[in-house]
Amino acid sequence: MQALIYQGPEKLTFEEVDVPSIRPNEALVRVESVGICGSELEGYLGHSSVRVPPLVMGHEFCGRIAALGDQVRGLTPEDKVVVNPLMACGTCANCRRGAYNICRNRKIVGIHRPGAFAAYVAVPFENVIRVPQDMDASLASLAEPLAVAIHAIKLGFKPLDDLLIYGAGPIGLLCVAAARQMGAGNIVVLDLQPARLAHAERFGAIGLSPREIEDRREALFPQGIPVAIDCVGVQATREQAMNLVDPGGAVIMVGLGQGNSELPMNHLVRQEISLIGSYTYSHEDFRQAVALLTRGDIAIEGWTETRSLDEGPAAFRELAEGISRFSKIFFEALNPPIAADAQPGSDVIEWAQFIRTAR
Ligand SMILES: [Zn+2]
Ligand SMILES: [Zn+2]
């Protein structure tokens, strides 16, 4: 099969590799669409300590079941699915209290094992979630980043709160969508790029530059800013967010832009500001993301672009250089999708059986 392989900082190759084999509790998914995550851009630039080359990245994806291990229950070949890429151990103290996202032994598809920038990806079947057969595959791929946004919102936001969001990238935009669903008041999104701010306005937020908010804060937030979500995560955004939120307010940290920041900690003490880290999502967040997307409340037009996987090296370069006018790039499968009503005896099933017996 063909795969996009991260070979080291700013180096990606498109190559022929073996189709992954599956264990008895795993499913093989034929990838129909996979999105580039902001964290993978950081990885591409060599800023991610957890992504070790050579690696097939890709953890935001939708596809169809191509093969199933013997222990898999509840899935059928050709089911259209998305996958929660976070694999928790289920036995550590955090897993036992249900906090799977901060499992001490967590592994992530596309980081610790091969991901979906490929024709096929193998995943544990417990992580597979079925979506409607006719759902757009790129839209469905947003389940993962939308789950990130839903998790962040839940950590500090209450219904009717006004909200300040840093970054009009995919996570920032999906935070706007999630917050609106949860009854947000005014939502202001800050970004440096006018094209991205236009996306935020289309999602129903007010788009401003970080400089403009200083002047317009009183008018836009007459009751103060109870909560800010930082989807960028650099010195400037972290520091300004801490200074802008109200006494007693919270800054939810999602962005991983910089490893270290120098922050006004005495201000935090005196004003009782809370800094809250938000990482990935729970199973519930992921299922809610799928439900929200299935309802059709979120559109991918205008802010996303679709390409084929062999354009991967160029797509990563353009996003990293900031010259893409789109916030999100999806790769769609090169192979034409196989009919959903494929019957036993078809290529798909034979292929599935071949993989099972070859294991
Ligand atoms: Zn992601
Ligand atoms: Zn665990």
Side-chain angles (χ1 to χ4, degrees), residues 110-145:
I111 295 180
H112 303 101
R113 57 185 279 166
F117 290 144
Y120 293 89
V121 56
V123 295
F125 87 96
E126 290 99 336
N127 293 48
V128 175
I129 300 165
R130 270 194 297 205
V131 298
Q133 292 280 25
D134 59 353
M135 189 169 180
D136 180 89
S138 293
L139 179 68
S141 299
L142 288 181
E144 198 272 350

Side-chain angles (χ1 to χ4, degrees), residues 160-180:
L160 305 180
D161 272 354
D162 291 337
L163 184 61
L164 180 66
I165 296 173
Y166 282 85
I171 300 293
L173 297 178
L174 294 170
C175 279
V176 175
R180 280 170 58 96

Side-chain angles (χ1 to χ4, degrees), residues 37-39 59-60 144-145 148:
C37 175
S39 66
H59 60 258
E60 306 177 356
E144 198 272 350
V148 169

Side-chain angles (χ1 to χ4, degrees), residues 3-4 29 43 60 65 107 120 152 156-157 189 223 233 287 290:
L4 189 65
V29 176
E60 306 177 356
I65 298 289
K107 299 270 182 285
Y120 293 89
F157 171 86
V189 176
Q223 315 292 328
R287 287 187 183 280
V290 171

